[in-house]
Amino acid sequence: ILFFRELDFSLAQIKDMLDSHSFDRKEALRAQHELLTKKKERLERLIDLTKRRMEGNAEMSFQEFNKEEIEEFVQRISESVSNPEFVVECKYDGLAMALLYDDGNFTRAVTRGDGIVGEDVSNNVKTILSIPMHIPETRHVEVRGEVYMPKASFELLNKRQEEKGVAPFANPRNAAAGSIRQLNSSVCASRKLDAYWYYFQNASDFAVQTQEEALEAMSKMHFRTNPLRKVCTTVDEIWQFIQEIQEKREDLPYEIDGMVIKLNNLADQR
């Protein structure tokens, strides 16, 4: 935790310095800022990956996936869970986000996902058209997912960058992260972000017992969930579905960099 606080402070320092130095110095600082940001993002993903695996989930990139590892994962789970059922979902290349609602109204959006630690980006999230400002549920609701930049939006943004003589963004994830942190919400709105929601934080308050039920419940509350998922019971089913998605990957309107295998029963994930 201390490391992240120090890293956050270093990033803030560099941002403050950008406007007070010569052009060459600015370029050096921008490079340093980008390097530190990438290091921080990698560490955040490592922590999230470790947590998911401890909770009974497997998250791997397409390059990492092989059938033997899936067999090992299923075997390990089967040692403690009788007849386990799994949900296989896409792993998005975006920015992790939590949405909070009370009395049916949107109250807050926070990055890095627990509603306490992270950046409050509510004003910018309000510009994402697929995110509901009102839901048909008066109880407290917290959902988590990923904000991303569709491929078409990314291509248009980089075309505009080039027309302005500005360096294009390296990838949609960086573009999405930069957009959601804009001070001017109109800039964020112009970049046409979107989102998918895959985790119902307080599902137990709604007697939701499985991941599939959680996704269906979120969908009924007007949160956008991805239909590209499958409930599986065998290694062969999991592997076949992963292969199907990998074949479709290039044609999807958004970037994915892997798949996530989750225990369907939420109680078994703990």
Side-chain angles (χ1 to χ4, degrees):
I1 294 173
L2 179 60
F3 172 79
F4 276 115
R5 286 176 180 168
E6 291 174 348
L7 189 51
D8 278 329
F9 180 69
S10 298
L11 293 173
Q13 275 188 318
I14 294 169
K15 287 177 181 177
D16 290 341
M17 294 169 67
L18 283 176
D19 293 328
S20 60
H21 289 75
S22 66
F23 178 79
D24 290 340
R25 180 63 173 166
K26 284 185 179 181
E27 290 303 310
L29 287 170
R30 284 195 181 95
Q32 186 179 5
H33 174 260
E34 184 175 350
L35 177 62
L36 285 170
T37 300
K38 287 179 179 178
K39 285 182 178 179
K40 181 180 179 184
E41 289 173 351
R42 283 198 298 268
L43 284 168
E44 287 172 350
R45 284 177 176 264
L46 178 60
I47 289 171
D48 185 58
L49 172 58
T50 302
K51 182 183 176 194
R52 286 178 183 274
R53 284 180 171 165
M54 289 174 65
E55 292 173 343
N57 299 335
E59 179 180 300
M60 304 178 193
S61 70
F62 285 112
Q63 290 73 26
E64 294 172 329
F65 260 121
N66 61 71
K67 195 171 183 179
E68 289 73 24
E69 284 200 29
I70 296 172
E71 288 173 343
E72 290 176 8
F73 170 71
V74 171
Q75 176 60 37
R76 176 169 60 83
I77 294 299
S78 298
E79 291 172 1
S80 56
V81 177
S82 179
N83 300 316
E85 193 173 64
F86 302 92
V87 179
V88 186
E89 302 176 52
C90 296
K91 178 176 175 288
Y92 309 102
D93 194 17
L95 180 69
M97 188 76 60
L99 303 180
L100 290 85
Y101 293 75
D102 286 294
D103 298 320
N105 299 312
F106 170 83
T107 59
R108 194 155 57 126
V110 185
T111 62
R112 285 174 50 192
D114 63 5
I116 298 173
V117 178
E119 299 174 69
D120 188 321
V121 290
S122 302
N123 287 338
N124 283 345
V125 164
K126 289 177 182 178
T127 70
I128 301 174
L129 298 180
S130 69
I131 294 179
M133 292 295 101
H134 308 283
I135 60 174
E137 175 55 61
T138 57
R139 288 172 288 181
H140 174 75
V141 170
E142 179 178 344
V143 300
R144 300 182 187 181
E146 206 120 346
V147 171
Y148 66 89
M149 181 170 287
K151 292 177 180 177
S153 299
F154 179 67
E155 292 172 4
L156 180 59
L157 174 60
N158 271 350
K159 182 180 179 181
R160 290 173 178 168
Q161 293 285 98
E162 292 171 359
E163 288 173 352
K164 294 177 183 176
V166 180
F169 285 92
N171 54 62
R173 185 180 192 278
N174 288 356
S179 300
I180 209 69
R181 293 185 171 107
Q182 286 286 327
L183 296 178
N184 186 343
S185 294
S186 64
V187 175
C188 182
S190 71
R191 293 183 178 179
K192 308 297 183 186
L193 300 178
D194 212 331
Y196 273 126
W197 308 98
Y198 50 74
Y199 184 66
F200 194 170
Q201 168 65 15
N202 59 319
S204 59
D205 296 340
F206 296 79
V208 170
Q209 298 182 346
T210 70
Q211 172 67 4
E212 183 63 25
E213 288 177 3
L215 291 165
E216 291 171 358
M218 287 189 289
S219 181
K220 288 178 182 177
M221 286 188 277
H222 304 160
F223 295 108
R224 192 165 176 260
T225 61
N226 196 337
L228 283 181
R229 62 180 190 264
K230 186 174 183 179
V231 177
C232 302
T233 57
T234 68
V235 171
D236 286 339
E237 286 179 341
I238 294 171
W239 183 245
Q240 182 180 355
F241 183 64
I242 290 172
Q243 297 304 301
E244 289 176 8
I245 297 301
Q246 192 163 13
E247 290 175 5
K248 296 177 181 177
R249 182 183 178 190
E250 294 302 319
D251 296 325
L252 295 175
Y254 48 84
E255 293 285 355
I256 59 173
D257 56 6
M259 303 293 287
V260 183
I261 306 169
K262 303 176 181 178
L263 274 165
N264 193 26
N265 190 311
L266 298 181
D268 290 338
Q269 290 185 13
R270 301 186 182 94

